[in-house]
Amino acid sequence: RQLSVALNYLYQLILRAMRSFHQQKSFDARMRALLDEFDFLFRKMLYPQCTKLLRRAHKLAVQQDAFHYLYELKALEKRLMKQMDPVRAREYLPRLSQEEAHALRQVTLLSDLRRIYDEVFAQLARIGLARTEAQRAEIHSILQQAPIKEAAAAPGFEGKIIYLYIHAFSARILNQPHR
């Protein structure tokens, strides 16, 4: 009986050690850890430490073009500002709300680009090369969607790569050299 308890305990320790090691390697794991630390510090009302932690997380998110984290960090920053200094928060909240909205627009644009990429990829898998005028028209209609037109200002490296893949796959389907 004691052996099974000891083995389970050892297994849990190994998993915890592996998570800790992975946390140092993975961007998402580091961001989740920073957000967990923020939550802990916020509940303990250690607001100056929360501010420092948010700065570190923001810097990391900007380096990685992680707009979904930037959106979340701006919401946390607003929450922190309201607790730290409600009077001065009135000055900062409009700017933070604008930054939060900008991050959300970037997340939405990236999501739209992924959806369009999925549509083009599905067309490539389904038909290969476009053989009929209807198939060509279908690809052209996908390429006329608004997010493609906005993609010149595609958010970050990932957005630019998705944009290029969309055009490369479309050119392949239409049997055209990529422009």
Side-chain angles (χ1 to χ4, degrees):
R1 179 88 170 112
Q2 287 290 6
L3 181 61
S4 66
V5 171
L7 284 175
N8 186 39
Y9 181 72
L10 179 61
Y11 177 74
Q12 295 301 322
L13 283 176
I14 291 170
L15 284 178
R16 190 178 314 150
M18 289 170 64
R19 269 194 312 268
S20 178
F21 175 76
H22 179 69
Q23 186 174 355
Q24 299 307 315
K25 302 285 181 190
S26 162
F27 165 74
D28 283 320
R30 284 186 290 172
M31 286 302 292
R32 280 193 302 275
L34 287 171
L35 293 172
D36 287 344
E37 287 174 32
F38 174 87
D39 188 50
F40 174 77
L41 293 171
F42 190 84
R43 280 187 277 123
K44 297 296 179 186
M45 295 186 215
L46 299 170
Y47 302 135
Q49 289 86 345
C50 287
T51 303
K52 290 177 188 174
L53 193 128
L54 277 180
R55 276 193 216 116
R56 275 197 353 244
H58 185 269
K59 182 179 177 182
L60 187 61
V62 167
Q63 288 172 346
Q64 296 291 321
D65 291 328
F67 299 104
H68 58 290
Y69 283 119
L70 288 172
Y71 173 74
E72 188 172 353
L73 291 170
K74 289 302 168 185
L76 292 175
E77 192 175 349
K78 285 169 46 177
R79 185 172 146 205
L80 177 63
M81 185 58 67
K82 290 174 192 173
Q83 288 297 318
M84 282 181 65
D85 192 353
V87 175
R88 286 189 48 217
R90 284 188 7 210
E91 299 171 26
Y92 294 103
L93 288 177
R95 177 184 56 84
L96 291 175
S97 292
Q98 284 179 337
E99 291 172 2
E100 184 182 32
H102 176 71
L104 183 59
R105 279 192 303 277
Q106 299 296 344
V107 169
T108 303
L109 179 57
L110 196 53
S111 175
D112 288 343
L113 285 173
R114 285 186 189 127
R115 178 187 49 76
I116 293 169
Y117 168 81
D118 291 342
E119 287 179 39
V120 171
F121 185 80
Q123 290 290 352
L124 179 62
R126 188 171 61 85
I127 64 171
L129 295 177
R131 291 175 182 81
T132 67
E133 205 50 48
Q135 290 171 336
R136 289 180 181 283
E138 200 171 343
I139 293 299
H140 285 297
S141 72
I142 290 172
L143 294 175
Q144 295 305 312
Q145 294 181 35
I148 291 291
K149 294 175 182 175
E150 294 176 38
F157 182 73
E158 182 184 7
K160 289 174 183 20
I161 292 296
I162 293 171
Y163 174 77
L164 291 173
Y165 271 128
I166 289 169
H167 283 285
F169 286 163
S170 298
R172 175 73 180 116
I173 293 169
L174 298 171
N175 200 20
Q176 298 172 344
H178 183 61
R179 305 173 241 135

